[in-house]
Amino acid sequence: MDLLELITWLWRYVLVIPMTNFLVLLSRLSFGNFGVAIILFTLLMRGITWPLTRQQLQSTRAMSVIQPRIQQIQKQHKDPKRRSEETMKVYREAGFSPLGCVWPMLVQFPIWIALYQAIQFTLGNTPENVLALSERLYPWSYLRNAAPMHEEFLWMNLAQPDSTLIMAVVVGASTWVQQRMTMPTRQVSDPQQQSVNNTMLWMMPMMFAFFTLQFPSGLALYWVATNVIGIVLQYFYQGPSQFSWRKVFSLSPSGEAAPRPALQQEAASETEEDASAGEEAAGPAKRRRRRRRGRQRRR
Amino acid sequence: MKQAILPADAANRHPLPRGPRVATWALLALILVSLAGIACGRLAKPAGWASPVESGDLLLIAHKDKLFALDAETLAPRWAFPSEAEAGGDNIKPVALYGTPAVAGDTVFVPAYNGSLYALDAATGKLRWQEPFKTGGPLVGGVTASEDTVYFGSADGKVYAVDIDSGNERWSTRTGRGVWSTPQLAGTTLYVTSLDGKLYALATTRGDKLWSFKTDAGIAASPTVDEAEGVIYVAGFDSKLRAIDLETHEQRWSITAENWFWGQPIVGGGVVYAASLDNKVYAIDTGSGARHWSSPFSVGAPVRAGLALAGHNLIAVNREGGMYRLDPETGEAHAASPLVLGGDVLADPLVVPGDLVDSAHVLVITTGGELVRVDPTTLVVIERQKLD
């Protein structure tokens, strides 16, 4: 068995087929409702990947805290080498790992593809697809008797793309909100960086909305469910008192209006405070104290 | 979805954390390429597996979305449906043909996966009705014809009775889910199985439900009525072959396989034969429900197609195109190895009777569109013809 065959075998027998059977099992447990099975599956997946999600949320928050210092370093040091050293120093002090943000997604990514295939195998409503399902189900009558699955959920046929555009809009909107919630909350000074942020903020939701039009709506349901769970987690992790929906839905890319010149000085002083606090990843009490001092100074 | 972190990461444009930046963009590229790849994959398209039909000197063979009418003797083509002009001009798109066509008088009835039933002139292949009869779901099962009515089920969950001459609906009766099987007519009762797991007995006059029998899972195989024994055999996705009494509507016996039954059971000489997707062929005594063979015969691959009895030979064709010739009495293979047909087979084989007992031949259509004529007594290929 060469490497490719091994990967194919592992993909099929370790990921896709168990996932297919698990979905069928969840569907039977939810009285044949495959939509509910997908939502339950999403909840379980988010539960399993919670340590990774938490790590990502921590990284996001740490990134938010150290952002002003990074910007300061970029302004202060023209030499790229020095700038990098200083940046890495800040990362180390804050306990922030940029790769820590990426690899939780790497774990999720195969799950999407495997889920896509599992939905295809499970809900494929052509006779050939149903025939193929017989070879993929474990020899347990509780599972085998479930076929063919009920593909209707709400207004959707979960095996087909949603023709009403509703799911495309919901997927796009929920992706945007989740993305917006995890973006840095402070204004990025570099216009080029700002442009990248803007592009990413709009490109990903549009891309997923577009793919919703191509994919079975069962996968779109998974995306919506995982986004909604992500938004809820982000909301509670950030703390309801720290969270502002207004900031999220502000069209300003950073979530705050661009600072007016008169206020820039104050903002800079606040930024300095944040920067000094970044390395200690300030606790809520300290943050409150700093905010109070800032307000007193402004008065 | 955790792609939201990407902008924050990408925003830090400084040379040293290049690794993370490259990883982020590589990940984004991977997402795009993979999603595009998946989008191109789409759902598998229906291909069809309608069985061949012989009627007089006409042989009807379906392949994918086309029905070919051939001369039964010479296999010379007579007409095809839809013709080039119909497929283009009249925009007839059957999508795929799964259900076995039926011939009544000089009309051929073709159930198509696009949900329409077409009536064709058997001599010319021209459309008989002004419009095809349209249903609300794909037609996967075949058509049963009586003198003046055709009966068929649709994936929309209904069983339809349609007037042969006018193409108008006489009645329709709803079942719990889609109907993928061919209704069976016995006297004034129509028996039909449904994916809701039930066998229905309907009155042919108005489609009233006379009685029903619930199994443990969906049923895609057509039932087989054994009027001599007074039973109907039903094989389904609960991996069970059941004999249901036509009088009491109770189950007489059942046997369990290791996977689904999809092919229609056949009856001969007091034995019912059924092949399962568990790679085995079963033979059961109709009266007692006892196994007729010491053990089921293994054909090495799942069997979707039904079995065929040709004289003293039981013909089984597995999904991979391996054709077996078994002794119906003992369940032993007449040859050590199967005939390899050279393509997957999902359609039921057709036994074309000859003038003498052992002069019949078997026709099989592969998924690749090759029609193979086989001598069932020797398993020698008599003729092959590619349909296109």
Side-chain angles (χ1 to χ4, degrees):
Chain A
M1 187 184 275
D2 62 18
L3 186 63
L4 188 66
E5 280 176 341
L6 179 69
I7 291 169
T8 309
W9 188 90
L10 287 172
W11 178 262
R12 185 180 164 90
Y13 292 101
V14 176
L15 205 57
V16 178
I17 288 185
M19 200 180 276
T20 303
N21 282 272
F22 189 53
L23 274 169
V24 173
L25 177 68
L26 287 175
S27 171
R28 284 225 76 175
L29 293 173
S30 29
F31 306 101
N33 191 320
F34 203 79
V36 174
I38 290 175
I39 293 168
L40 287 175
F41 177 85
T42 314
L43 278 167
L44 284 166
M45 286 314 301
R46 292 304 295 240
I48 291 166
T49 57
W50 166 243
L52 299 173
T53 310
R54 191 174 53 192
Q55 186 187 339
Q56 192 195 6
L57 290 170
Q58 279 168 349
S59 295
T60 307
R61 195 158 73 176
M63 171 60 104
S64 177
V65 170
I66 63 176
Q67 185 72 16
R69 289 188 68 191
I70 301 292
Q71 287 175 9
Q72 209 174 14
I73 289 165
Q74 284 176 329
K75 278 179 200 161
Q76 279 174 359
H77 303 286
K78 298 295 170 200
D79 175 31
K81 196 181 170 193
R82 182 73 201 282
R83 199 161 59 185
S84 301
E85 283 169 2
E86 291 296 320
T87 305
M88 285 310 285
K89 198 175 156 193
V90 172
Y91 280 178
R92 270 196 304 275
E93 285 168 357
F96 171 74
S97 162
L99 270 179
C101 302
V102 177
W103 79 275
M105 189 176 174
L106 278 172
V107 171
Q108 283 245 57
F109 193 61
I111 293 171
W112 295 345
I113 301 175
L115 181 71
Y116 169 77
Q117 292 188 348
I119 288 172
Q120 267 198 321
F121 292 154
T122 317
L123 286 179
N125 51 6
T126 65
E128 285 88 350
N129 280 324
V130 176
L131 186 61
L133 182 62
S134 72
E135 291 171 12
R136 296 186 175 109
L137 292 179
Y138 294 146
W140 182 26
S141 61
Y142 188 72
L143 293 178
R144 287 216 164 134
N145 290 1
M149 313 302 296
H150 290 269
E151 60 263 23
E152 298 84 17
F153 181 67
L154 300 176
W155 68 93
M156 294 171 280
N157 179 334
L158 295 171
Q160 302 290 337
D162 179 30
S163 55
T164 63
L165 299 181
I166 295 172
M167 285 307 278
V169 171
V170 176
V171 164
S174 57
T175 308
W176 187 89
V177 170
Q178 200 199 7
Q179 185 135 323
R180 192 69 193 76
M181 285 172 82
T182 47
M183 279 187 82
T185 53
R186 288 169 179 81
Q187 183 73 22
V188 178
S189 56
D190 183 357
Q192 204 179 350
Q193 289 172 19
Q194 196 60 64
S195 166
V196 170
N197 282 4
N198 262 336
T199 308
M200 295 300 288
L201 177 64
W202 290 101
M203 192 181 78
M204 295 300 279
M206 283 173 72
M207 192 176 81
F208 277 90
F210 172 74
F211 281 121
T212 301
L213 299 174
Q214 315 292 318
F215 291 158
S217 44
L219 192 65
L221 182 66
Y222 170 79
W223 283 339
V224 171
T226 198
N227 280 345
V228 169
I229 295 166
I231 289 166
V232 171
L233 288 176
Q234 179 77 17
Y235 177 79
F236 284 106
Y237 192 82
Q238 208 165 323
S241 58
Q242 303 289 315
F243 189 81
S244 164
W245 283 108
R246 201 172 161 188
K247 200 187 282 181
V248 169
F249 288 107
S250 159
L251 284 178
S252 166
S254 64
E256 291 172 351
R260 281 174 287 161
L263 294 175
Q264 273 180 355
Q265 190 65 35
E266 288 178 32
S269 67
E270 207 172 329
T271 302
E272 276 166 29
E273 280 179 34
D274 279 347
S276 62
E279 59 198 64
E280 55 192 308
K286 285 185 179 176
R287 282 205 298 272
R288 274 199 296 276
R289 275 203 298 278
R290 275 204 309 278
R291 237 180 273 120
R292 201 161 42 237
R293 278 205 301 274
R295 277 200 296 273
Q296 283 166 355
R297 211 178 296 137
R298 278 197 290 276
R299 270 189 223 119
Chain B
M1 280 178 285
K2 297 188 177 88
Q3 69 281 7
I5 198 66
L6 296 178
D9 191 35
N12 296 292
R13 290 173 162 263
H14 35 74
L16 194 67
R18 187 178 169 164
R21 216 169 62 235
V22 168
T24 304
W25 286 108
L27 180 65
L28 187 62
L30 185 68
I31 292 170
L32 283 168
V33 169
S34 302
L35 291 179
I38 292 169
C40 292
R42 303 276 181 98
L43 290 166
K45 286 182 180 172
W49 59 49
S51 305
V53 175
E54 194 203 24
S55 176
D57 60 348
L58 196 66
L59 187 63
L60 299 167
I61 311 285
H63 175 54
K64 292 188 175 173
D65 59 351
K66 215 159 188 178
L67 181 72
F68 298 88
L70 312 177
D71 186 284
E73 273 296 310
T74 63
L75 299 187
R78 289 193 179 173
W79 49 263
F81 171 79
S83 63
E84 296 292 323
E86 285 167 334
D90 297 340
N91 207 20
I92 297 171
K93 294 189 189 308
V95 182
L97 300 173
Y98 289 91
T100 306
V103 182
D106 58 353
T107 308
V108 178
F109 297 94
V110 186
Y113 196 73
N114 65 359
S116 295
L117 178 73
Y118 297 92
L120 312 176
D121 185 309
T124 62
K126 298 291 175 200
L127 289 166
R128 272 272 163 91
W129 297 334
Q130 284 273 328
E131 289 288 325
F133 183 87
K134 290 178 182 166
T135 72
L139 302 185
V140 179
V143 179
T144 295
S146 69
E147 271 184 21
D148 57 355
T149 311
V150 282
Y151 306 95
F152 60 97
S154 166
D156 66 6
K158 287 183 180 174
V159 182
Y160 293 89
V162 174
D163 185 271
I164 279 182
D165 294 326
S166 65
N168 294 330
E169 180 179 316
R170 291 202 162 165
W171 54 258
S172 65
T173 298
R174 184 172 287 283
T175 70
R177 281 191 77 181
V179 176
W180 280 12
S181 60
T182 306
Q184 302 297 307
L185 195 58
T188 57
T189 307
L190 191 72
Y191 297 97
V192 63
T193 51
S194 166
L195 293 179
D196 67 2
K198 284 184 181 172
L199 163 74
Y200 292 89
L202 308 175
T204 52
T205 47
R206 289 175 52 191
D208 298 328
K209 285 176 192 168
L210 303 174
W211 57 273
S212 64
F213 182 90
K214 178 90 175 84
T215 68
D216 298 331
I219 310 170
S222 306
T224 301
V225 182
D226 184 352
E227 287 183 282
E229 280 286 338
V231 293
I232 183 165
Y233 302 103
V234 178
F237 289 169
D238 59 1
S239 310
K240 284 185 176 164
L241 168 65
R242 300 163 191 267
I244 296 154
D245 194 295
L246 291 173
E247 282 293 318
T248 63
H249 316 149
E250 299 287 331
Q251 180 178 299
R252 279 196 196 169
W253 52 258
S254 74
I255 59 121
T256 306
E258 289 163 30
N259 207 334
W260 304 343
F261 284 102
W262 201 316
Q264 184 181 19
I266 59 168
V267 181
V271 181
V272 57
Y273 303 94
S276 165
L277 297 176
D278 69 359
N279 309 358
K280 292 187 183 116
V281 178
Y282 295 81
I284 310 295
D285 283 329
T286 54
S288 63
R291 290 184 191 277
H292 190 70
W293 300 337
S294 54
S295 61
F297 182 83
S298 179
V299 291
V303 186
R304 201 309 302 173
L307 303 167
L309 270 170
H312 304 296
N313 300 291
L314 177 69
I315 303 297
V317 188
N318 69 23
R319 188 179 170 171
E320 293 166 5
M323 183 184 266
Y324 291 81
R325 181 167 73 96
L326 311 179
D327 183 330
E329 270 306 307
T330 62
E332 287 169 2
H334 285 300
S337 56
L339 166 68
V340 178
L341 293 169
D344 288 358
V345 175
L346 298 172
D348 298 344
L350 172 73
V351 177
V352 181
D355 299 331
L356 303 170
V357 176
D358 276 341
S359 64
H361 59 261
V362 176
L363 286 170
V364 183
I365 178 86
T366 67
T367 53
E370 192 168 36
L371 179 66
V372 188
R373 197 199 289 260
V374 179
D375 181 343
T377 58
T378 58
L379 281 196
V380 170
V381 174
I382 302 168
E383 195 174 3
R384 284 177 184 271
Q385 183 164 321
K386 182 85 177 161
L387 300 171
D388 43 34

